[in-house]
Amino acid sequence: MQNILEFPEVLRLIEDRSAAFRAAIASAPDLDVQVPTCPDWTLRELAQHLGDGRRRRRQAAIVAAGPGAEPPARTDPKGAPTAPRDDEALDAWLAESTELMLDAMREAGPDRGCWTWWGRSQAPETSGAVARHQIQEIAVHTYDAQLTQGAAQPLPTDVAVEGVDEFLTTVSATTVPWPFKPATIDLHMTEGRSWRLTLNADGVRCDDLAADAEPGDMTMRGAASELVLYFYERVSLDGLETTGDTEPMEQLADWDPNA
């Protein structure tokens, strides 16, 4: 498996999706409405989560700290800084949050080691891998903010194509033994790439699907945006084209290998 995008393009997509999130927040007539896909949060709380999470207390701090067995301690004695309530100040605060994280990533470069929560996956524990994952977190929360206003848009194609590979190698893949019946799941995105998940006693392995491979136990096909939104539980499996036994995918979606 290999990354689809070079590091400067990854950073550009973070900037792009962060700007789209800010636009969705700025256009909302009421930030105190509940987010349907994050029902415990209002739009204001979603903005708080996304802004504070990029700052020096979280992603920027993790990248800046370099390699470590644990994430850096949160140093703010007063807890998370509160997002401003004024619209213009909130927009500036969100922009600053993104820039703090991007500054740390630019300084570190793509290959610097840092703590990650996915040490047992196929993704490297580097600032470049953290950046790849940040695209998806920001993109999906942008979808959440748009959906709250009844104006949800598909993820941009370049973001979504990158996102399918990133999710499979970072979130799905693991060396934790698969506790259910062994299975293979083939995923095809209509934009042209295919993967195979192999689920067995060695864990969950993701590989590019060979053109001459026999069909797996289950096949899933859809646009990259729909696949990513399914992975993050924003749309249901019913909206994708599937053949074969869907149980392995349903088990994978419910399974927590770290439990």
Side-chain angles (χ1 to χ4, degrees):
M1 306 293 293
Q2 60 182 8
N3 291 5
I4 298 173
L5 301 178
E6 296 296 329
F7 192 56
E9 181 66 4
V10 170
L11 299 187
R12 185 193 70 78
L13 290 180
I14 289 175
E15 289 183 300
D16 176 82
R17 289 299 84 200
S18 297
F21 180 81
R22 286 165 45 212
I25 293 298
S27 65
D30 182 3
L31 293 181
D32 293 317
V33 297
Q34 298 300 125
V35 180
T37 41
C38 301
D40 293 335
W41 290 340
T42 64
L43 270 178
R44 189 179 303 281
E45 290 166 334
L46 180 64
Q48 168 77 36
H49 163 75
L50 204 64
D52 179 56
R54 300 330 97 191
R55 286 174 171 260
R56 296 198 182 280
R57 296 176 59 256
R58 298 304 300 146
Q59 299 305 325
I62 285 169
V63 170
E70 299 290 338
R74 299 187 180 190
T75 57
D76 188 343
K78 298 181 180 179
T82 302
R85 296 193 67 85
D86 175 79
D87 290 349
E88 290 188 9
L90 176 59
D91 184 73
W93 183 79
L94 288 169
E96 181 187 49
S97 298
T98 301
E99 198 57 35
L100 287 169
M101 181 179 69
L102 289 172
D103 283 347
M105 289 176 173
R106 292 185 188 106
E107 182 176 347
D111 300 320
R112 182 178 181 180
C114 64
W115 175 86
T116 72
W117 53 260
W118 56 74
R120 302 179 78 170
S121 79
Q122 289 174 229
E125 294 186 276
T126 63
S127 54
V130 170
R132 283 189 88 201
H133 191 66
Q134 283 303 302
I135 299 173
Q136 305 312 315
E137 181 165 354
I138 299 167
V140 171
H141 282 324
T142 298
Y143 174 88
D144 294 331
Q146 294 169 344
L147 180 69
T148 303
Q149 301 180 65
Q153 302 172 20
L155 274 59
T157 299
D158 49 0
V159 169
V161 168
E162 166 76 359
V164 176
D165 183 82
E166 196 279 331
F167 187 94
L168 295 177
T169 55
T170 302
V171 182
S172 296
T174 181
T175 57
V176 178
W178 176 245
F180 307 105
K181 179 182 176 181
T184 52
I185 301 172
D186 296 342
L187 300 100
H188 305 276
M189 66 179 179
T190 56
E191 289 83 356
R193 192 175 173 191
S194 299
W195 298 260
R196 169 162 287 180
L197 292 176
T198 303
L199 298 74
N200 57 31
D202 294 327
V204 178
R205 176 77 190 177
C206 178
D207 297 287
D208 288 308
L209 182 64
D212 59 352
E214 293 293 324
D217 298 303
M218 175 193 172
T219 297
M220 176 187 300
R221 186 183 304 274
S225 177
E226 288 299 302
L227 288 170
V228 173
L229 293 174
Y230 165 72
F231 295 155
Y232 285 96
E233 301 181 334
R234 268 49 181 189
V235 300
S236 72
L237 186 60
D238 295 339
L240 296 163
E241 178 186 340
T242 62
T243 57
D245 183 5
T246 61
E247 184 178 33
M249 180 55 80
E250 293 164 351
Q251 290 171 330
L252 183 60
D254 293 336
W255 180 48
D256 180 1
N258 298 312

